[in-house]
Amino acid sequence: MGRKMTAPEIRGMKERGEKIVCLTAYDYCFARILDEAGIDLLLVGDSLGSVVQGHESTLPVTVEDIIYHTRAVIRGRRRALVVSDMPFMTFQLGVDEAKRNAGRLVQEGGAEAVKLEGGLTQAAAIEALVKMGVPVMGHVGLTPQSVHQFGGYRIQGRGEADARAIFEDAVAVEESGAFAIVLEGIPVQLAREITQRLTIPTIGIGAGMHCDGQILVVHDMLGLFDDFTPKFVKRYADLKETIGGAVRSYMDEVRTAAFPAEEHAFH
Ligand code: KIV
């Protein structure tokens, strides 16, 4: 199986110069497949709002949704670190609320770490969670819970002032005690500078090749979800087509009475 991944192990990978490979997972079956393949970190992301629930954004996702999906993922993984996302409205209302909800993700869901969006504004929450023994992953740049403020899913940090703000956010996340940070939707050069400045690993999504690790939404990289495909996604499979083909074969065989055959029958 290899060594069990933990928050300190993930941190140590940066020191050893090993790339950290992460994917999202939302259920038992996927968690098992990804874990057996050797993924280092599974994120129960609030992206489940889009790819599992069919919403247009992550904003409707609740802490109960993440607990439910975390429980399923935990049962399917043996080695990967399982990180659960803190949905919108579960940490923005104050440190006590953040502690209560992170505690629920750990106690009821089985999460081994949590992720929350925001930099300087969330420094107190990150610090408080780390103090109560919950490893925290930060998330800065194009943070999807702020989609309305950004006016859409747009690359962040293109201008000098914006880039400086994101850099300072990333530094604040590290100084608050996070063990890793997601950099989403920012220019490659900014991601490189942040990665060089921080001692904690940077996990990129739409942030170029210089990050210490990468994460993708599993439905995007497997070609299961095509409502929209961001430029930074690489498709490693076309499972929507594969599944559609299998279902069409099944329909043909049922309609022509080719399935079930003799070997599928009980006597
Ligand atoms: O919700 C999510 O899946 C995420 C990752 C894409 C980083 O936040």
Side-chain angles (χ1 to χ4, degrees):
M1 174 175 92
R3 65 186 190 279
K4 170 75 182 80
M5 298 312 294
T6 60
E9 274 289 340
I10 294 287
R11 210 181 153 149
M13 287 177 79
K14 175 164 182 152
E15 283 152 30
R16 295 193 293 276
E18 297 169 21
K19 286 280 188 189
I20 303 160
V21 194
C22 317
L23 280 173
T24 64
Y26 316 102
D27 65 29
Y28 169 80
C29 185
F30 266 89
R32 237 188 116 167
I33 295 169
L34 307 183
D35 188 76
E36 284 176 10
I39 283 289
D40 299 313
L41 182 154
L42 292 173
L43 172 69
V44 185
D46 61 1
S47 50
L48 69 85
S50 308
V51 298
V52 178
Q53 298 175 332
H55 294 297
E56 280 183 3
S57 76
T58 59
L59 298 173
V61 176
T62 65
V63 71
E64 281 77 20
D65 293 334
I66 300 282
I67 290 170
Y68 173 89
H69 287 279
T70 302
R71 283 182 177 155
V73 167
I74 285 286
R75 288 183 207 116
R77 82 84 180 84
R78 294 173 67 195
R79 174 184 171 271
L81 178 72
V82 176
V83 181
S84 294
D85 233 346
M86 298 199 65
F88 183 58
M89 294 290 282
T90 64
F91 59 95
Q92 291 92 341
L93 298 183
V95 168
D96 286 346
E97 198 72 357
K99 284 165 79 174
R100 189 171 312 115
N101 285 310
R104 289 192 65 191
L105 292 172
V106 171
Q107 191 170 55
E108 299 174 41
E112 296 165 325
V114 301
K115 173 172 85 57
L116 60 85
E117 296 182 9
L120 272 167
T121 55
Q122 298 308 331
I126 296 172
E127 210 174 310
L129 299 188
V130 173
K131 271 196 191 132
M132 77 185 235
V134 178
V136 177
M137 197 175 190
H139 186 166
V140 301
L142 199 184
T143 44
Q145 290 173 17
S146 303
V147 58
H148 297 312
Q149 197 168 37
F150 297 148
Y153 296 100
R154 300 170 199 285
I155 296 299
Q156 299 297 304
R158 279 217 162 107
E160 207 179 303
D162 246 21
R164 195 171 331 108
I166 293 172
F167 188 93
E168 281 163 14
D169 276 338
V171 171
V173 166
E174 166 158 320
E175 287 175 353
S176 306
F179 74 95
I181 184 169
V182 171
L183 304 181
E184 178 163 359
I186 60 171
V188 61
Q189 193 50 32
L190 175 58
R192 179 183 214 163
E193 283 163 21
I194 294 172
T195 300
Q196 285 169 346
R197 164 68 174 77
L198 299 191
T199 62
I200 58 171
T202 58
I203 309 295
I205 174 162
M209 64 296 278
H210 302 297
C211 297
D212 299 304
Q214 296 292 329
I215 186 161
L216 284 174
V217 170
V218 70
H219 288 54
D220 288 340
M221 59 86 73
L222 292 179
L224 273 169
F225 182 78
D226 62 1
D227 287 8
F228 58 88
T229 308
K231 170 183 152 77
F232 58 77
V233 169
K234 178 169 175 184
R235 284 239 165 109
Y236 288 85
D238 191 355
L239 289 197
K240 185 178 175 195
E241 189 47 44
T242 306
I243 292 170
V247 171
R248 284 190 293 275
S249 299
Y250 169 66
M251 291 190 319
D252 281 350
E253 293 198 358
V254 170
R255 285 174 183 153
T256 58
F259 175 82
E262 189 50 38
E263 72 258 36
H264 307 118
F266 296 111
H267 290 290

